[in-house]
Amino acid sequence: MPTVLIVDDDPKLLKMLQRTLTYEGMNVLTASNGLEALEQVDAHAPDLLILDWMMPKMDGLTLLQQLRAEKNRAPVLMLTARDAIENRVEGLESGADDYLVKPFAPAELVARVHALLRRVQPAQSDQPLTYADVRLDPLAREAWRGAEKLNLTLTEFNLLALFLRHPRQVLERSRILHEVWGYDFGGDDNVLEIYVGYLRRKLEAGGQPRLIQTVRGVGYVLREE
């Protein structure tokens, strides 16, 4: 799960971006100025930073320059109301990886964040996934519980992969449907209970303890009892 630090002195914008990126499955940290951001960077080493340009105490551009001087190469997305070409050039030449002018659509910011993370992280779909005694190989399309290979359908495989990418994180029903069945899914959402039931039976064959827990009124979580 990538960690993203958002730095902005607008509390409403900060809260909106935090909610949006958390929904995207990211661990989100926040700071309201550059000095707070430096403390977060030292403590948590985020994978990506979203920096507002104009802030009190230390502005985003100064923070960016300091990070780059300290050899911190985490990708940075700059946010600013300054849309002049010379401002964009200044931000990029100071070490920003991308630049987004306010106001912006949250969907565009999410797309840019994903694009920046793809540059520095191995493709998520290619990485072996493990939790407890469950293993999944996305490239080979194979999964195991202990020494037993699981015979999974495509949907069961994708559902298990989603849980394994977010262990111990409660996933809302709507998010699971969105990520496994897609934007255009229009069927009865009872299909989720059905497939969770299928997957549980295969994971729990032979009396294995339950890993996929129901969170009533919310969704599901992959967690040992």
Side-chain angles (χ1 to χ4, degrees):
M1 181 189 305
T3 296
V4 178
L5 172 60
I6 308 171
V7 190
D8 199 298
D9 62 336
D10 182 341
K12 291 184 179 179
L13 179 62
L14 203 61
K15 186 174 182 179
M16 183 274 288
L17 293 179
Q18 182 179 28
R19 183 172 59 248
T20 299
L21 294 181
T22 298
Y23 184 81
E24 290 293 316
M26 301 177 193
N27 178 39
V28 181
L29 308 171
T30 62
S32 59
N33 60 65
L35 295 180
E36 289 181 9
L38 285 175
E39 294 177 358
Q40 293 277 37
V41 170
D42 289 340
H44 302 287
D47 300 297
L48 180 144
L49 293 86
I50 300 173
L51 304 182
D52 184 34
W53 189 310
M54 299 300 296
M55 294 183 294
K57 297 185 179 179
M58 178 187 287
D59 62 62
L61 190 63
T62 302
L63 171 60
L64 172 60
Q65 292 168 342
Q66 181 164 333
L67 291 172
R68 294 307 187 229
E70 295 173 354
K71 308 302 182 184
N72 186 310
R73 300 310 305 167
V76 170
L77 172 62
M78 292 291 294
L79 303 180
T80 180
R82 300 180 175 185
D83 59 356
I85 294 297
E86 56 268 26
N87 295 136
R88 301 188 191 193
V89 170
E90 185 179 8
L92 294 171
E93 288 186 343
S94 295
D97 298 275
D98 203 353
Y99 194 104
L100 193 56
V101 177
K102 297 178 180 180
F104 53 84
E108 182 179 4
L109 179 134
V110 168
R112 290 175 183 245
V113 165
H114 281 305
L116 288 172
L117 288 171
R118 282 195 296 270
R119 298 181 195 176
V120 296
Q121 295 180 340
Q124 186 184 64
S125 61
D126 293 347
Q127 301 308 299
L129 303 169
T130 62
Y131 179 74
D133 60 348
V134 177
R135 295 176 292 121
L136 182 146
D137 184 339
L139 288 178
R141 304 292 296 183
E142 295 178 339
W144 296 263
R145 177 89 193 251
E148 295 297 319
K149 187 174 180 181
L150 303 174
N151 182 21
L152 302 179
T153 67
L154 176 62
T155 299
E156 291 165 355
F157 187 93
N158 291 339
L159 184 58
L160 179 58
L162 176 62
F163 283 125
L164 286 170
R165 290 191 177 102
H166 305 284
R168 298 179 297 276
Q169 179 182 341
V170 176
L171 302 178
E172 295 180 350
R173 295 168 54 85
S174 58
R175 177 178 175 186
I176 299 171
L177 288 167
H178 168 82
E179 295 203 24
V180 176
W181 279 268
Y183 281 106
D184 297 326
F185 177 77
D188 185 348
D189 65 4
N190 284 335
V191 70
L192 178 55
E193 278 81 4
I194 293 170
Y195 272 94
V196 167
Y198 291 160
L199 186 55
R200 277 174 169 163
R201 281 197 290 273
K202 294 180 179 181
L203 287 170
E204 297 168 18
Q208 294 275 27
R210 175 158 293 183
L211 289 178
I212 301 175
Q213 318 295 341
T214 300
V215 181
R216 295 191 181 278
V218 181
Y220 299 93
V221 58
L222 184 69
R223 182 172 59 208
E224 293 180 288
E225 291 181 314

